[in-house]
Amino acid sequence: QVRLVESGGGLVQPGGSLRLSCAAAGAVVSINPMGWYRQAPGHARELVATFRSGGTTNYTDSVKGRFIISRDYSKNTVYLHMNNLKPEDTAVYYCNANRQGSNYWGRGTQVTVSS
């Protein structure tokens, strides 16, 4: 089992920045990839960014150039650095980890971008 705990969400003005963190615990060996998804009210959950072993990253088009995903293996933590936030980034952000074919999810953290 893998347990994921997100933190770092909150309310931010348009153009602002936030950093989300996701700490993994439990069976953390062989987790690959780790990533972030988000779900806005009335919308399906969508992929935001993934980080694969070796450092390969992938981003949805709407966040390219604004968001950066990184991973600290020593802390079993993945981060999402979000810059130049827009109101359309408002959503619940979920951490995801895949381990040997099994998918694990955190409970989510709310990000609200509003003036």
Side-chain angles (χ1 to χ4, degrees), residues 33-38 46-52 56-61 63-64 67-70 78-82 93-96:
M34 290 189 76
W36 291 92
Y37 289 69
R38 66 185 179 187
E46 66 169 350
L47 172 69
V48 177
T50 58
F51 188 103
R52 294 187 176 274
T56 301
T57 57
N58 182 56
Y59 300 92
T60 192
D61 286 346
V63 308
K64 287 180 180 177
F67 291 10
I68 298 174
I69 188 170
S70 62
V78 66
Y79 303 96
L80 186 66
H81 308 261
M82 305 186 294
Y93 284 70
Y94 296 92
C95 181
N96 173 269

Side-chain angles (χ1 to χ4, degrees), residues 69-113:
I69 188 170
S70 62
R71 184 171 176 179
D72 186 334
Y73 286 91
S74 68
K75 297 180 180 179
N76 297 315
T77 298
V78 66
Y79 303 96
L80 186 66
H81 308 261
M82 305 186 294
N83 302 304
N84 190 21
L85 282 159
K86 303 176 180 181
E88 52 264 41
D89 294 317
T90 295
V92 178
Y93 284 70
Y94 296 92
C95 181
N96 173 269
N98 187 283
R99 183 179 183 275
Q100 299 177 344
S102 295
N103 247 341
Y104 299 90
W105 295 94
R107 292 188 175 185
T109 184
Q110 176 70 47
V111 172
T112 302
V113 185

